[in-house]
Amino acid sequence: MPEDPRPADTTRDASSMQIEEGISVLFRNTKMRLKDYSERLDPELQPAGYTILRYVMSREPIRAADIATALGMDKSAVSRQLTSLREIGLLETHPDPADGRATLLASSEKARTALASFQASFRSAYREVLSTWDDSDVDNFARLLRKFNDGIL
């Protein structure tokens, strides 16, 4: 007679619930941090604008349509945020040499300077949280988080 799978399922379900709760806490903390960083860049900048700016900076130069597709956002919402980012001097536009009708977006020096400061702040906060962890635990956490994120896409 086969073993009853329920005990293992119950354990996995309990672990899954702990993971869900942990992700919820992480999401709330991240939202608060995004709001704070957005406001530090400009009091009128929305967290979505900060998210878009970070995305642009990691893939620049880039077209607006590619941002909307990659972030799963409505094109008009992305357009509004891009306008705001340009108006406050965080994004620059350049003609696309491959298509004269298209525009490419890139970060400004102001954005790069501000983000370098934020990244130093991130590293410092993460360093503090992880300071009591073994190097192997930090490496495993990074690997498992990447694996988890890759799996939910």
Side-chain angles (χ1 to χ4, degrees):
M1 184 161 159
E3 278 187 39
D4 184 357
R6 286 178 289 183
D9 289 346
T10 302
T11 301
R12 186 169 285 254
D13 288 346
S15 295
S16 294
M17 290 304 295
Q18 288 177 340
I19 291 168
E20 192 277 331
E21 177 60 27
I23 290 170
S24 294
V25 170
L26 182 62
F27 181 73
R28 284 192 305 272
N29 290 337
T30 301
K31 279 180 63 174
M32 288 188 301
R33 186 172 287 180
L34 281 174
K35 186 176 184 317
D36 176 54
Y37 291 145
S38 300
E39 289 172 352
R40 285 172 48 189
L41 278 171
D42 187 274
E44 299 300 314
L45 183 63
Q46 296 176 6
Y50 180 81
T51 299
I52 289 170
L53 178 62
R54 290 290 312 258
Y55 190 81
V56 168
M57 292 180 78
S58 68
R59 290 158 179 84
E60 62 189 338
I62 189 170
R63 292 181 182 191
D66 296 334
I67 297 167
T69 299
L71 296 179
M73 295 176 69
D74 182 75
K75 287 181 184 180
S76 63
V78 169
S79 179
R80 283 190 300 276
Q81 294 303 317
L82 292 173
T83 297
S84 176
L85 289 164
R86 283 192 303 271
E87 287 173 353
I88 59 179
L90 297 172
L91 279 186
E92 300 171 347
T93 58
H94 306 282
D96 185 344
D99 181 352
R101 301 165 296 163
T103 301
L104 295 174
L105 299 151
S107 60
S108 67
E109 183 61 33
K110 177 181 176 180
R112 290 187 293 276
T113 300
L115 264 291
S117 171
F118 293 166
Q119 287 172 335
S121 176
F122 287 149
R123 280 191 300 275
S124 176
Y126 291 146
R127 221 179 267 122
E128 183 178 331
V129 169
L130 300 171
S131 66
T132 61
W133 293 29
D134 293 335
D135 288 345
S136 63
D137 288 341
V138 174
D139 291 342
N140 284 332
F141 179 66
R143 181 183 56 77
L144 291 170
L145 184 59
R146 190 172 36 255
K147 182 178 179 179
F148 180 81
N149 285 328
D150 288 348
I152 62 173
L153 291 178

